[in-house]
Amino acid sequence: MTPVVSIENLKDHVGEEVTLQGWLYRKTGKGKLQFLQVRDGTGICQAVVFKGNVSPEDFAAGKSLTQESSLRVTGLVKEESRAPGVPGGYELDVRELEAVQLAEPYPISPKEHGVEFLMANRHLWLRSSRQWAAMRVRAVIIQAIREWLDGHGYLNVDTPIITPAAAEGTTTLFEIDYHGEPAYLAQTGQLYNEANIFAFGKVYCFGPTFRAEKSKTRRHLQEFWMVEPEIAFCDLDQLMDIEEQFISHIVQRCLRECAAELQVLERDTTHLERVTPSFPRIHYDEAVAMINEAAAKGELVPGYDEPVPPMEWGDDFGSPHETYLAAQFDKPVFVHHYPTQVKAFYMESEPGRPEVCRSVDLLAPEGYGEITGGSERMSDPDKLLAAIHAHDLPEEAYGWYLDLRRYGSTVHSGFGLGVERTVAWICGLDHVRETIAFPRTLTTMRP
RNA sequence: UCCUCGGUAGCUCAAUCGGCAGAGCAUCCGGCUGUUAACCGGACGGUUGUUGGUUCGAGUCCAACCCGGGGAGCCA
């Protein structure tokens, strides 16, 4: 028996006879010669079957292989510059071939397909190399997230998914029946994170989160993953310091470890290589001025083919505004001190300027939009109670949250990072539905 | 919810002014010793999203509905 090796490790077996087990990704041939592209989950390798090197039965078995048939091939590993694949450059000179199962006609051909068809066949689409690459990068991003937080003193304390009420009171929630009582799927773990920091200092929660909004854009899912760090004794400026270290670590680790995947995705990594501390920081006032100046000059929003729309101070940015702003910088950009009225009730207001709050969003370059949202949290119990009243929220539901300000309150801050938007940005994908194995979009719940 | 574009073979698309529903790919058969989404020859493949209307005649025109894409709002 020859050893079974994985394609990602083939480079260590040049000149040896090995067995690959996997699936037929593509096939082409020329009479007495067959080129089988075999994938095994770790990569794609070309296996060359020459009639003179194998038994007549094995040669016939090779010819009979259909796309996505499962197989085992044994042969000699060769370095070969002509060999396609991932990572490519190595091929298997086949001596034995076993068809494990001949696949029925496979619906996803190497030609182009529409989104509707591919989404209906998501369970098969995942085998395609671009989807494979995106999922591998996603996994590395998640590793990098945990690695950085675990290595910087953050304790992973996960927060409930079933919650009694809207944490922020604004967005639409999925309602479930909790033994006769209405309950909701969490849209953030943040309020619970705030309880946790008073026990553990620095924490993060990492899990799925749910938004029932009728959002139908390339940046939205109904179910998505979010990591939310929260830090005691941390103000807004320190929060931005943390975020830029954190984001830079994630990007740099992907560049180091996912070169083959990013190449499959045809990602131009020059933008990503610049993602190192520090990131530009602009005040909301300044951002509004930039937008209105661009609007007055009739500048176009990159990629939209329409002029930058003017805006009033006090409004939140629209999607074209965010895209314009992000395009003015060659790194992710922090926009801080948003108007209090467009942000959540728990954000700390700026001393001497109550109309703005100590909040910050991070806008990714290249039109990927907001990837983090965070703030310094309100720490005074009386101010917080007034904010709860001002937002018409039920005081009794926030009793425990107010308690946090009564027993050892301190300045504290936190943010949430959307995993799918981060994956889309790093992979250069044009839609978040390709950043998670089985996306839940407004129109798709199956498979 | 609103704006906008679309739905024709398993897939991607074409079909002139309303006049015989057509290609490529996939699949099957045959050929080829270096293919990169190979190539060459042949075969198979249709309730034109649904319902109704106009017409001698509808894929094409009209109405309603269904499904999907892109965008807006909201957000990560």
Side-chain angles (χ1 to χ4, degrees):
Chain A
M1 268 301 263
T2 53
V4 174
V5 302
S6 58
I7 290 168
E8 65 184 347
N9 295 328
L10 265 190
K11 60 180 187 304
D12 302 326
H13 296 272
V14 174
E16 299 171 25
E17 190 163 283
V18 303
T19 297
L20 300 181
Q21 44 192 19
W23 298 267
L24 184 68
Y25 191 59
R26 265 170 212 177
K27 180 176 76 169
T28 176
K30 204 163 180 183
K32 294 175 183 160
L33 197 55
Q34 299 170 36
F35 300 98
L36 312 177
Q37 286 191 42
V38 177
R39 42 166 211 93
D40 72 346
T42 73
I44 299 176
C45 174
Q46 175 163 277
V48 182
V49 188
F50 175 52
K51 198 167 188 174
N53 288 345
V54 297
S55 70
E57 295 75 26
D58 285 5
F59 190 78
K63 284 197 89 165
S64 74
L65 288 171
T66 52
Q67 190 184 356
E68 287 303 321
S69 290
S70 43
L71 68 144
R72 286 192 192 87
V73 277
T74 300
L76 204 60
V77 181
K78 287 182 168 174
E79 203 163 349
E80 168 57 69
S81 60
R82 289 173 295 184
V86 180
Y90 300 91
E91 69 181 20
L92 195 71
D93 192 359
V94 176
R95 298 300 142 93
E96 285 175 48
L97 183 150
E98 178 197 352
V100 177
Q101 193 237 0
L102 289 183
E104 293 177 28
Y106 191 66
I108 301 179
S109 72
K111 295 280 177 177
E112 286 177 26
H113 297 283
V115 170
E116 188 179 1
F117 174 78
L118 290 169
M119 284 302 295
N121 288 286
R122 183 60 175 167
H123 54 299
L124 304 177
W125 189 21
L126 285 169
R127 304 180 186 193
S128 300
S129 57
R130 284 183 63 85
Q131 304 307 310
W132 171 88
M135 289 306 106
R136 303 250 302 182
V137 175
R138 177 191 171 99
V140 170
I141 287 170
I142 290 170
Q143 280 175 26
I145 286 170
R146 292 193 178 275
E147 175 184 68
W148 193 89
L149 292 169
D150 294 342
H152 285 79
Y154 292 74
L155 190 72
N156 179 200
V157 184
D158 284 317
T159 54
I161 285 169
I162 299 172
T163 57
E168 303 184 1
T170 51
T171 44
T172 321
L173 301 171
F174 285 105
E175 188 174 328
I176 62 169
D177 177 0
Y178 195 72
H179 307 297
E181 187 185 348
Y184 305 89
L185 298 182
Q187 58 175 342
T188 172
Q190 193 227 300
L191 302 193
Y192 294 100
N193 263 347
E194 288 188 62
N196 292 337
I197 54 165
F198 290 95
F200 306 106
K202 295 195 283 188
V203 303
Y204 69 96
C205 62
F206 194 175
T209 182
F210 306 89
R211 305 279 166 93
E213 296 142 359
K214 306 278 187 207
S215 297
K216 202 178 84 174
T217 81
R218 66 182 69 190
R219 296 180 304 281
H220 291 90
L221 295 171
Q222 305 288 290
E223 174 185 306
F224 65 98
W225 286 67
M226 186 158 69
V227 58
E228 295 176 273
E230 189 79 22
I231 310 105
F233 296 99
C234 173
D235 68 14
L236 184 66
D237 292 322
Q238 292 169 312
L239 184 70
M240 288 190 265
D241 293 344
I242 290 166
E243 286 193 41
E244 67 195 11
Q245 294 289 336
F246 178 61
I247 299 290
S248 300
H249 172 80
I250 295 167
V251 171
Q252 295 304 322
R253 181 160 169 196
C254 286
L255 288 173
R256 273 201 313 277
E257 290 186 23
C258 299
E261 287 82 0
L262 293 171
Q263 197 177 349
V264 168
L265 292 162
E266 298 172 288
R267 179 63 163 128
D268 176 359
T269 55
T270 53
H271 280 86
L272 298 176
E273 280 152 20
R274 283 197 288 265
V275 180
T276 54
S278 59
F279 299 167
R281 303 178 182 190
I282 62 171
H283 194 286
Y284 172 85
D285 293 348
E286 192 185 342
V288 172
M290 284 174 69
I291 286 166
N292 283 328
E293 205 173 306
K297 282 194 264 180
E299 283 187 48
L300 296 180
V301 182
Y304 271 72
D305 217 30
E306 64 179 48
V308 177
M311 66 177 288
E312 299 265 322
W313 192 99
D315 288 344
D316 205 351
F317 302 121
S319 196
H321 297 133
E322 279 190 0
T323 303
Y324 173 78
L325 280 177
Q328 305 315 302
F329 302 91
D330 60 2
K331 283 186 180 190
V333 56
F334 288 114
V335 182
H336 54 84
H337 286 94
Y338 281 73
T340 307
Q341 62 189 9
V342 303
K343 289 291 184 182
F345 72 94
Y346 51 72
M347 296 190 180
E348 185 67 275
S349 56
E350 179 67 16
R353 238 195 120 180
E355 75 279 11
V356 295
C357 61
R358 295 178 66 75
S359 58
V360 59
D361 286 357
L362 182 66
L363 307 183
E366 303 168 79
Y368 285 97
E370 184 184 344
I371 53 170
T372 79
S375 67
E376 190 177 309
R377 322 304 191 186
M378 208 170 264
S379 53
D380 180 79
D382 298 330
K383 269 177 78 177
L384 182 61
L385 184 60
I388 287 169
H389 287 152
H391 283 79
D392 282 326
L393 296 170
E395 182 183 335
E396 60 280 8
Y398 291 92
W400 68 267
Y401 190 62
L402 284 159
D403 270 359
L404 305 175
R405 277 73 179 170
R406 296 172 60 212
Y407 304 111
S409 191
T410 180
V411 59
H412 64 288
S413 301
F415 68 96
L417 171 79
V419 169
E420 286 74 17
R421 285 188 185 175
T422 304
V423 177
W425 166 46
I426 291 177
C427 291
L429 300 172
D430 64 7
H431 202 300
V432 289
R433 68 178 157 233
E434 294 184 35
T435 66
I436 185 166
F438 294 98
R440 293 295 171 253
T441 71
L442 191 58
T443 54
T444 306
M445 190 177 72
R446 298 178 179 83

